[in-house]
C-alpha cells in the first residue's frame, strides 16, 4: 500500500512539476502574477509529494517489505533499524529519490522565504530549480524507480546492507553531502536568473554568498565526515585516498571556496562580476559532474554505485547546463564588465585573484587526474591508473602555496601595499615561521622538505592571524576604552565576515598540521600468539585473549554478523594506555562478507590504530596491523574550528532576520 | 553454509601461515611504505596496496615486496613466495587472479630479474611485467604518461601568467600629464622661427 502510495506521489509530482514549469514560463511571458502564484503552489505541492514518496520508501525499508526490489536489495530483516533507514541512500534508486527529497526541501524553503523578496529574480529562480527537479523526476520515475516490485510469486528475503555502510558516520555523511551538493542549485538558480534578467547588481551576489556559505560548510563537513568514516571503517589507516568519488566531492568544494573569496571583491569593489558568475555556474556543473561520475561507471571506485545507463542522461544534463551557461555568459559579457580597476599588483585584490587561480588550478589538477584513465584509454586504448601517489605529488605543493597565500592575503592592504607596510607586516611572521621550522627540524631530527615547509607556513599563518587579532583588539581598546575581552568580542561582532574568515583560516591551518603529521605515520604487521608481548617504539602490545561472538551469544549486538575478537592490553612508556578489542566480522546476511572493525585510541598527538587481519580460533594466532598515526586529531579539531568560523561569518540570526524581512 | 565456513577457515589458515615466519614486529621502512603506495592492489577495483591488505593476493604481494627490499635478500625464498602467490593451486582457488601470465613464465622471469639491492623503479617494473601496467598507481614519466604529469604544471604556469596579465590590464594607468610647453623638436622649430623673424626685423 505504501509502495503504491510512494510510486503514485512520485508520478503525480512529475505532472505538477511540468505544470509549474509551464505556468512559470507563462508568467515570464505575460507578466501575469497569477501564473507565478499558481506555479509556486504547483512546485510546493510537487515537492511535498516527493517528500511523501521518500517517507513511503523509508516506511517500507523500516518494515522490511521485501516485495519491493530496492528494499530486498539493500536491507534484510536482521539489519539494525537505523541502518534500514540509511538504506534510503544505499542504492541508486533510493539515492535519486533522496536527492529529489533534499532538492524539494530547498525548493520549498526558497519559495517561502522569498514570497515578497526579489520579485524580478524569482520567476527564473523557480524555473531553474524546476528544470533541475524535473530532470531528477524523469530519472526516478522512468529509469530507476525505487518502488519497483519483485515479480509475482517470487519470495525473497533481504540481501542486507553492505557492512561498510553500517557505521554511524554513514547515517550523517551522505545527507550532509547531498545537502552540500544540492545546495549549490540555489546560488546557481539565482545566478541564472540574474544573468537572464540582467539584474546583475549586488542583490543576487549577497543572496548567493550566504547560500554558498551555508552549502559550503555542509559540503566541508560531509567531506571530512567521509574521511572520518574511511579512517575508522575501511581499515587502511588513512582518511583520504584520492578515489574518484572522493575527488568528485572535492571538485565543487574547490570552486565553491574560490567563489567565497572572489565574491568579496565584487561586494567591495564591484569587480570580477563575470568571473564570479563563471565560478558559481562551474560549481553547480561540477556537482552534476560528480553525480555523473558516481553513477555512470566510467571510472572505477569502491564508493561508486554500480554502472547503469543513467550516465548518458547525466552527461546530457551536464552538457545542457554548460551550454546554456556559456551562451548566457557570452550574451551578457558586456553587462558583466566592471568599470573599476586595480591600483597595484601588490594588493589584497591581487592576492584574492591568485588565491582564485590556485583553487581553480587545484580543481583542474584533480579533474585531470580523475579523468586521465578515461582520457588515456580513449587516446591509446589503454587505461592508465592514477592513484593517490600521483595526486599527492601534484597537490601537496599546490596546497602549500595555498597555505602561504592564506597568510599573505590578510597582510596585504586593499588597493595598494607600500614596501614599508610589507616589511612591517611580513618581517615577524616570516622570521617566526622560519625559526620555528628550523627549531623543530633540529630538535626532532626532521629532514623531510615538505613537512618542514609546512611547519614554517603553519607558524607563519598563525602569526599573521594573531597579529590581525592583536592589532584589531588594540585599536578598539584605544578608541572605545573597552577591556580586552569586550574589545575582542565586539570587534568580531562588528566585522563577522572578516574575523569569521580568520577563524576559518585557523581551522584550515589546524587541518594542515594534521595533513603534515601523515609524513610521520608508522606501520607494522604483527603475528602473535596469546600471551605474547611485542614492543613498537614506546608502545607495548600484550595479546591477552581471543573469542568468537554470534547472534546466539550476543543477540542484541550481533544480529546480522558473527565476529572474531581479540583483546589487547596496550602500555605506553611503561604505564597502562588502553584495552583494545579489534574485530574481524563476517556478515551472515551478505554471503559472510568479511569486515575488519578497527580499534583506535586517539590522543592529541597520535592515534594508536589496530586492525585485526584474522585470528585462528584453534590456535589463537592472530595477525594484526598496527599503525601509529600522527596528528590525525588535528584534522577533526580543525574542522570544528572551521565550522565555528563559518557560523561567525554567516551570523545565523541576521541570515534569518534578513530572509524573513 | 558449511562451504562458506570452510572458505573462511581456509582464508584464515592461509593468512596466518603466510604471515608466520616473515620478519615482522618492526615498523615498515619508508621504502616499503612507498612501494605499497605506488602499486595498486590487485583486488577491489581501486586503491593502492597500502589501502588494502585483507585479501590474500595483496598480502602475498606485500610479502614478495618485503623480501625484495629486505637486507637479508634470499632468492630462493622469493621464488617460493612467487610460486605460492601465482600458482593455480594457491590463491587462485580463493577467487583472486592477480597475475596476467602463467606461473612458470613468472618464475623464470623472477629468477632472471631479481637481485639484491633492487631500486624502487626496478621493483615496480618487475610487478608491472607480472601484472601489466595497470598495477602502477601513477602514470610513467614517458609517452602519454608525461601528459598526466606535465598538464597540472602547465595549467599552473598558464594560470599564473593569465592572472598576472589580467591584473596588469586591470591596474589603473597613471594619468600622463601633457606638457604645457612645446616638445624639444617643436621648441627648436619655434626658436628657428623667432630667430628668423628677429633677423628679419633686424633686432
Amino acid at each position: 500500500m505504501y509502495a503504491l502510495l510512494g510510486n503514485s506521489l512520485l508520478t503525480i509530482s512529475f505532472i505538477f512539476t511540468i505544470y509549474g514549469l509551464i505556468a512559470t514560463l507563462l508568467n515570464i511571458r505575460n507578466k501575469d502574477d497569477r501564473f507565478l502564484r499558481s506555479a509556486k503552489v504547483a512546485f510546493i505541492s510537487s515537492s511535498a509529494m516527493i517528500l511523501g514518496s521518500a517517507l513511503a520508501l523509508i516506511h517500507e525499508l523500516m518494515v522490511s517489505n521485501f516485495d519491493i526490489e530496492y528494499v530486498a536489495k539493500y536491507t534484510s530483516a536482521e539489519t539494525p533499524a537505523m541502518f534500514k533507514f540509511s538504506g534510503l541512500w544505499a542504492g541508486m534508486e533510493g539515492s535519486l529519490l533522496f536527492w529529489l527529497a533534499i532538492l524539494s526541501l530547498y525548493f520549498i524553503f526558497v519559495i517561502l522565504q522569498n514570497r515578497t523578496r526579489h520579485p524580478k529574480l524569482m520567476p527564473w529562480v523557480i524555473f531553474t530549480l524546476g528544470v533541475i527537479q524535473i530532470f531528477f523526476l524523469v530519472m526516478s520515475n522512468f529509469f530507476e524507480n525505487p518502488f519497483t516490485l519483485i515479480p509475482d510469486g517470487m519470495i525473497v528475503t533481504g540481501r542486507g546492507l553492505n557492512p561498510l555502510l553500517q557505521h554511524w558516520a554513514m547515517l550523517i555523511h551522505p545527507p550532509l553531502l547531498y545537502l552540500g551538493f544540492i545546495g549549490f542549485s540555489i546560488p546557481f538558480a539565482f545566478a541564472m536568473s540574474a544573468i537572464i534578467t540582467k539584474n546583475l547588481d549586488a542583490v543576487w551576489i549577497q543572496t548567493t554568498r550566504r547560500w554558498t556559505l551555508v552549502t559550503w560548510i555542509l559540503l566541508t563537513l560531509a567531506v571530512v565526515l567521509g574521511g572520518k568514516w574511511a579512517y575508522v571503517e575501511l581499515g587502511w589507516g588513512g582518511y583520504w585516498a584520492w578515489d574518484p568519488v572522493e575527488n568528485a566531492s572535492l571538485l565543487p568544494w574547490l570552486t565553491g571556496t574560490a567563489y567565497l573569496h572572489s565574491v568579496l571583491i565584487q561586494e567591495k569593489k564591484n569587480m570580477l562580476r563575470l568571473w564570479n558568475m563563471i565560478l558559481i555556474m562551474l560549481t553547480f556543473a561540477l556537482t552534476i559532474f560528480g553525480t555523473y561520475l558516481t553513477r555512470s561507471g566510467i571510472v572505477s571506485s569502491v564508493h561508486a554505485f554500480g554502472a547503469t545507463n543513467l550516465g548518458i542522461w547525466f552527461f546530457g544534463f551536464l552538457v545542457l547546463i554548460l551550454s546554456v551557461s556559456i551562451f548566457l555568459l557570452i550574451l551578457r559579457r558586456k553587462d558583466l564588465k566592471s568599470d573599476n580597476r586595480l591600483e597595484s599588483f601588490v594588493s589584497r585584490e591581487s592576492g584574492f585573484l591568485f588565491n582564485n587561480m590556485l583553487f581553480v588550478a587545484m580543481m583542474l589538477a584533480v579533474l585531470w587526474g580523475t579523468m586521465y584513465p578515461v582520457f588515456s584509454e580513449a587516446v591509446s586504448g589503454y587505461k592508465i591508473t592514477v592513484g593517490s601517489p600521483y595526486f599527492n605529488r601534484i597537490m601537496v605543493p599546490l596546497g602549500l602555496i595555498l597555505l602561504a597565500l592564506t597568510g599573505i592575503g590578510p597582510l596585504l592592504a586593499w588597493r595598494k601595499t607600500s614596501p614599508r607596510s610589507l616589511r612591517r607586516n611580513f618581517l615577524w611572521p616570516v622570521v617566526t615561521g622560519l625559526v620555528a621550522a628550523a627549531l623543530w627540524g633540529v630538535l626532532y631530527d626532521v629532514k623531510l622538505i615538505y613537512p618542514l615547509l609546512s611547519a614554517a607556513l603553519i607558524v607563519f599563518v598563525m602569526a599573521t592571524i594573531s597579529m590581525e587579532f592583536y592589532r584589531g583588539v588594540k585599536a578598539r581598546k584605544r578608541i572605545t576604552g573597552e577591556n580586552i575581552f569586550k574589545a575582542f568580542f565586539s570587534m568580531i561582532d562588528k566585522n563577522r565576515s572578516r574575523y569569521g574568515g580568520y577563524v576559518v583560516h585557523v581551522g584550515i591551518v589546524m587541518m594542515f598540521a594534521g595533513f603534515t603529521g601523515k609524513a610521520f605515520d608508522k606501520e607494522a604487521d604483527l603475528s602473535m600468539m596469546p600471551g605474547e608481548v611485542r614492543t613498537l617504539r614506546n608502545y607495548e602490545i600484550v595479546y591477552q585473549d581471543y573469542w568468537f561472538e554470534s547472534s546466539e551469544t550476543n543477540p542484541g549486538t550481533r544480529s546480522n554478523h558473527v565476529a572474531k575478537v581479540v583483546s589487547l592490553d596496550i602500555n605506553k612508556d611503561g604505564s597502562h594506555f588502553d584495552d583494545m578489542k579489534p574485530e574481524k566480522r563476517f556478515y551472515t546476511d551478505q554471503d559472510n562478507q568479511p569486515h575488519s572493525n578497527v580499534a583506535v585510541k586517539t590522543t592529541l598527538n597520535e592515534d594508536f590504530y589496530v586492525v585485526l587481519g584474522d585470528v585462528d580460533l584453534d590456535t589463537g594466532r592472530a595477525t594484526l596491523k598496527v599503525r601509529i598515526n600522527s596528528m590525525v586529531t588535528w584534522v577533526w579539531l580543525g574542522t570544528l574550528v572551521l565550522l565555528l568560523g563559518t557560523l561567525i561569518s554567516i551570523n545565523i540570526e541576521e541570515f534569518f532576520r534578513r530572509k524573513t524581512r | 553454509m558449511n562451504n562458506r565456513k570452510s572458505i573462511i577457515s581456509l582464508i584464515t589458515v592461509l593468512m596466518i601461515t603466510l604471515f608466520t615466519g616473515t620478519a615482522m614486529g618492526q615498523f615498515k621502512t619508508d621504502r616499503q611504505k612507498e612501494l605499497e603506495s605506488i602499486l595498486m592492489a590487485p583486488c577491489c577495483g581501486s586503491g593502492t596496496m597500502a589501502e588494502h591488505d585483507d585479501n590474500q593476493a595483496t598480502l602475498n604481494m606485500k610479502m614478495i615486496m618485503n623480501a625484495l627490499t629486505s637486507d637479508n635478500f634470499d632468492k630462493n625464498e622469493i621464488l617460493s613466495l612467487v610460486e605460492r602467490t601465482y600458482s593455480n593451486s594457491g590463491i587462485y582457488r580463493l577467487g583472486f587472479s592477480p597475475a596476467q601470465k602463467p606461473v612458470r613464465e613468472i618464475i623464470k622471469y623472477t629468477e632472471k630479474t631479481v637481485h639484491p639491492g633492487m631500486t624502487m623503479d626496478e621493483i615496480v617494473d618487475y610487478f608491472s611485467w607480472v601484472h601489466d601496467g595497470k598495477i602502477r598507481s601513477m602514470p610513467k614519466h614517458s609517452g602519454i604518461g608525461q601528459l598526466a604529469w606535465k598538464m597540472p604544471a602547465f595549467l599552473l604556469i598558464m594560470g599564473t601568467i593569465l592572472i598576472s596579465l589580467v591584473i596588469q590590464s586591470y591596474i589603473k594607468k597613471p594619468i600622463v600629464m601633457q606638457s604645457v610647453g612645446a616638445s624639444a623638436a617643436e621648441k627648436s622649430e619655434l626658436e628657428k622661427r623667432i630667430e628668423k623673424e628677429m633677423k628679419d626685423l633686424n633686432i
Side-chain angles (χ1 to χ4, degrees), chain A residues 341-342 372 387 389-390 521 523, chain B residues 28 33 37 137 144 148 170:
Chain A
R341 289 277 176 264
L342 292 175
Y372 187 76
Y390 170 85
D521 286 356
E523 183 182 313
Chain B
K28 287 178 185 169
K33 272 166 65 181
S37 78
S137 68
I144 194 176
Y170 262 132

Side-chain angles (χ1 to χ4, degrees), chain B residues 40-43 49 55-61 64 82 84-88 90-101 106 127-132 134-135:
Chain B
M40 300 296 287
C43 70
M49 291 231 241
N55 72 82
Q56 202 53 54
T58 310
L59 274 174
N60 281 26
M61 284 176 62
I64 298 171
V82 167
R84 266 195 284 168
T85 303
Y86 297 114
S87 70
N88 290 332
I91 55 170
Y92 279 173
R93 274 179 58 197
L94 299 169
F96 301 111
S97 50
Q100 304 288 319
K101 297 181 171 69
I106 296 173
F127 280 109
S128 299
W129 184 87
V130 174
H131 291 266
D132 88 21
K134 280 183 191 168
I135 196 84

Side-chain angles (χ1 to χ4, degrees), chain B residues 24 34 40-42 47 50 62 74 93 109 115 125 127 149 151 155 162 173 181 196-197 199:
Chain B
M24 281 189 282
E34 197 178 340
M40 300 296 287
K62 282 185 179 180
D74 183 344
R93 274 179 58 197
Y109 182 75
H115 59 84
D125 284 344
F127 280 109
W149 290 103
M151 185 64 93
L155 287 172
L162 193 72
K173 301 278 180 299
K196 190 174 176 277
E197 280 173 14
K199 221 180 194 176

Side-chain angles (χ1 to χ4, degrees), chain A residues 372 384, chain B residues 136 138-150:
Chain A
Y372 187 76
I384 297 172
Chain B
R136 289 170 183 273
M138 292 188 289
K140 273 184 163 183
H141 284 271
S142 60
I144 194 176
Q146 267 191 336
L147 200 59
W149 290 103
K150 289 188 174 158

Side-chain angles (χ1 to χ4, degrees), chain A residues 138-206:
Chain A
V138 168
M139 295 296 105
S140 224
N141 270 297
F142 304 113
F143 295 99
E144 297 291 338
N145 192 319
F147 295 102
T148 306
L149 297 174
I150 299 271
D152 274 346
M154 200 187 254
I155 299 167
V156 291
T157 53
R159 281 169 56 186
L161 187 67
N162 184 338
L164 291 173
L165 302 178
Q166 298 188 31
H167 186 268
W168 65 266
M170 275 296 123
L171 292 171
I172 311 167
H173 162 71
L176 279 176
L177 191 70
Y178 280 52
L179 281 165
F181 258 46
I182 303 158
F184 279 119
S185 313
I186 314 294
F188 172 73
F190 272 97
M192 291 299 276
S193 179
I195 199 168
I196 292 169
T197 59
K198 287 199 200 178
N199 281 293
L200 295 160
D201 54 8
V203 175
W204 85 270
I205 211 86
Q206 280 167 8

